[in-house]
Amino acid sequence: MSFEPRIVAFLCNWCSYGAADMAGTSRIQYPPNVRVIRFMCSGRIDPNFVLEAFLRGADGVMMTGCHIGDCHYIDGNYKTANRYEFLKHYLDILGIGADRLQLEWCSAAEGLKFAQSVTAFTERIRALGPNPLKEGGK
Amino acid sequence: MSECFWGWSMREDLRKNGESGGFVSSLIESLIGDYDRVISVRKTGTVFEGKVVDLKDSSDVKGIQGALHSLCINMSAYIKKGMRTAIVLKPCDAKAVIENMKRNHVDRGDVLLIGLNCGGTLSPVNTMKMLDVEYELRPDEVVKEEISKGNLIFFTEDNEFSKSIDELEESGYGRRESCRYCNYKIPSVCDIACGNWGTPAGGKVTFVEIFTQKGEQAVRSAVEMGFVSVEAPSEKLVMVRSKINSSMKKLARSWKGKVLDPIMELSPIDRLNYITNTLSPCIGCYACRKACPVCNCTGDCKCLQMDPDDVLPIPQYHAVRLLHLMESCIGCGNCTDVCPVDIPLARLHQLFAKAYEDRTGYKPGMSADDVPPLSRGDIPEGH
Ligand code: SF4
Ligand code: SF4
Ligand code: FES
């Protein structure tokens, strides 16, 4: 059976969630592999949520938020950016690999960008194969 | 700038019986009354047994032992916020205190840190086994132990038994694993660092290095009040001390090369399997968190809310701890010591921490003013 990546995407309510919405209403196609979880701000994405997604079998995790300077809570996304960099080191040392995590800034008007980054990320994960934490992969 | 001295106790009994002329004992005696707590370790039976004491008067000073090699206690736990505390501790304890200062659990102004140089400590159980197997000694026969010139020496009433630490460690005895690759031997973050490196043989003096004004004041007033005496050390022995320090560090590097580097060099998938398998016997008692001196969330600690019965490839508790400690594990080894199923936790935490240090240059426990690279609240590079 061919491998279909399971991707968990954490979306900020004010931007990337809007972008995903826009992609939908504009009928822009993107792979159905992402499971979207909405947050009020990307700054709420506790690194632990990312870990939990991997531990529970996600093949890839996306963190998305407003562009730097546009966060509705001023500096929530500074934290996101720092956590993302920190998590990348961690996943790399752990052996899951930093390339299974992706951060994307998307404004609510960037439906196309959102769709494109989901597509690109899905393809990347497809090439990487299943999360090595899952025995045998599925 | 630091200053170096040889120091000794002015109390005849302490000078004679104290390992290195009783300097530390007399120095802390001079601090009783000045500080709310004056904390050190006292021998309670054999050289392998001791307990932490809060000295209240001069009579408490007898039997004070700066350090016992097989008493691996986390001294930083005895510092309470708001209590003026003078404390004798080893380098990793001192690093833990610094980390606690960063987390606002300790005020620098409240503490006088009297550090001890440390070439490593021994786990009590393993030491008992080693005494039996390698030295054919009973713990109660031993009156003194010493690490000197690469040897671990045990003294009985009328004999001494010496073995090469290298050989002992190759066969699984000797120092605790985390001590083997610890490269912080002279605790320069303290106010004062004391030890026997760079002292004349049989000289009954302590080598004292003073790092701060507060340390200098403490020593000066101990001298003025007649508790201790100091003199300038010989140049030659200052050199000897720094040579011992660098050879200990070299040894630490080679141990890191033997223990941690091979794990980092595994392929990512093999490393992941190694970590997963190593953690798999965990029974979720959370003792390792309790023992960790830098991990001290109170109240709603997230780690403790993880369900230990939740079967995941890596217990979520450990996944989070490995993440958090990547920038703060000081390598004390306390977690390994307490694990009831003998998981080499410090090895895993140090694997992450050392790799993170190699990547970012950031070392925890070195200064209360250091902020980890990705916790500064600014926008990281490339965003
Ligand atoms: S993780 Fe273990 S070795 Fe590291 S600071 Fe905590 S107790 Fe010490
Ligand atoms: S001390 Fe050992 S058994 Fe207990 S939680 Fe830590 S790793 Fe698991
Ligand atoms: S509100 Fe969108 S990242 Fe903070």
Side-chain angles (χ1 to χ4, degrees), chain A residues 46-48 51-52 54-56 68 78 81-90 92-96 103 105 131-133, chain B residues 264 268-269 271-272 275 302 306 310 312-314 316 319-320 322-323 326-327 352 355-356 359-360 374 377-380 383:
Chain A
D46 187 322
N48 191 27
L51 302 186
E52 183 160 352
F54 282 119
L55 291 174
R56 297 198 188 280
I68 293 287
Y78 294 14
N82 280 295
R83 287 171 188 155
Y84 169 67
E85 294 298 336
F86 196 64
L87 276 162
K88 278 207 297 185
H89 285 299
Y90 173 83
D92 209 35
I93 301 167
L94 182 61
I96 287 182
L103 173 67
W105 304 130
N131 173 352
L133 279 173
Chain B
M264 266 327 278
I269 183 80
R271 190 162 61 247
L272 182 65
I275 294 168
K302 210 178 287 172
M306 305 296 174
D310 195 353
L312 293 171
I314 298 174
Q316 203 174 351
V320 176
L322 285 169
L323 180 87
M326 186 165 82
E327 59 169 21
F352 282 77
Y356 192 63
R359 288 151 175 243
T360 61
L374 294 168
D378 50 7
I379 306 165
H383 288 273

Side-chain angles (χ1 to χ4, degrees), chain A residues 21-44:
Chain A
D21 224 20
M22 188 186 169
T25 49
S26 330
R27 317 240 158 197
I28 304 170
Q29 297 285 324
Y30 63 85
N33 302 55
V34 287
R35 275 72 167 163
V36 168
I37 300 176
R38 175 163 62 156
F39 289 82
M40 285 310 284
C41 170
S42 70
R44 178 63 181 93

